Amino acid sequence: MNETNPSPNLACDNKKPRTITKALWLTAGLICLILGTIGMVLPILPTTPFLLASAACFCKSSPRMYNWLLNNKYFGEYIKNYKEGKGLPLKTKIYALTVLWATILISTVFLLHRLLPPPLLLPMQIVMIAVAAAVSIHILRLPTFKKPNE
């Protein structure tokens, strides 16, 4: 795939936004990219929605940033496969679920009682486990992407 022209279903429209609108979309895209990057190492933040939002914001603000994101060594293939409905590789699913549940369990069992007052402890544990369960269901429902050489 060529860097300046992504596949048709990933291409952006060519409407020119006003300068202030463009700056706002670019700022939103950068914020989403930062949150998505943090989400790669902190499972309580969802990576995929933030990266997809970042791609959408860049699509409206900066073709250069959009193409950079789609061709990025770390995010590009992930975003393309997700947007094209190909899913996630099995290794990524296993890693994501393992890290997700390990950090959620460590947080709910060992950390929350130090950070929250007792009346908020159980509700927050329930919320964290519910979020982890919802993210797990989403990950498991995604197709498993297999590279052509596998």
Side-chain angles (χ1 to χ4, degrees):
M1 179 182 312
N2 139 2
E3 187 173 323
T4 58
N5 189 13
S7 65
N9 60 338
L10 298 175
C12 297
D13 60 13
N14 291 328
K15 294 179 186 172
K16 291 251 184 193
R18 292 185 299 193
T19 306
I20 188 76
T21 306
K22 190 175 178 178
L24 291 172
W25 281 117
L26 182 63
T27 302
L30 291 170
I31 290 168
C32 289
L33 179 61
I34 290 166
L35 292 172
T37 302
I38 293 169
M40 293 178 89
V41 293
L42 186 66
I44 195 71
L45 277 176
T47 302
T48 303
F50 284 120
L51 291 179
L52 294 175
S54 179
C57 291
F58 290 154
C59 189
K60 291 186 173 281
S61 64
S62 171
R64 181 174 165 231
M65 287 297 291
Y66 179 74
N67 289 325
W68 170 82
L69 188 62
L70 289 181
N71 293 295
N72 183 277
K73 177 180 173 181
Y74 301 103
F75 309 124
E77 187 176 353
Y78 184 76
I79 294 170
K80 288 179 208 171
N81 289 339
Y82 187 88
K83 286 182 77 172
E84 292 172 354
K86 294 178 183 176
L88 297 173
L90 182 60
K91 183 178 177 180
T92 301
K93 285 184 174 186
I94 292 169
Y95 175 77
L97 291 171
T98 302
V99 172
L100 170 70
W101 282 102
T103 55
I104 292 295
L105 292 174
I106 289 169
S107 297
T108 57
V109 174
F110 299 111
L111 299 177
L112 280 182
H113 73 280
R114 295 177 186 187
L115 300 172
L116 297 173
L120 294 178
L121 183 60
L122 183 59
M124 184 53 74
Q125 288 173 324
I126 291 170
V127 167
M128 289 179 69
I129 290 171
V131 168
V135 170
S136 297
I137 289 168
H138 174 71
I139 289 171
L140 293 170
R141 292 187 70 195
L142 289 172
T144 300
F145 175 72
K146 293 182 179 138
K147 291 185 180 179
N149 60 355
E150 288 181 5

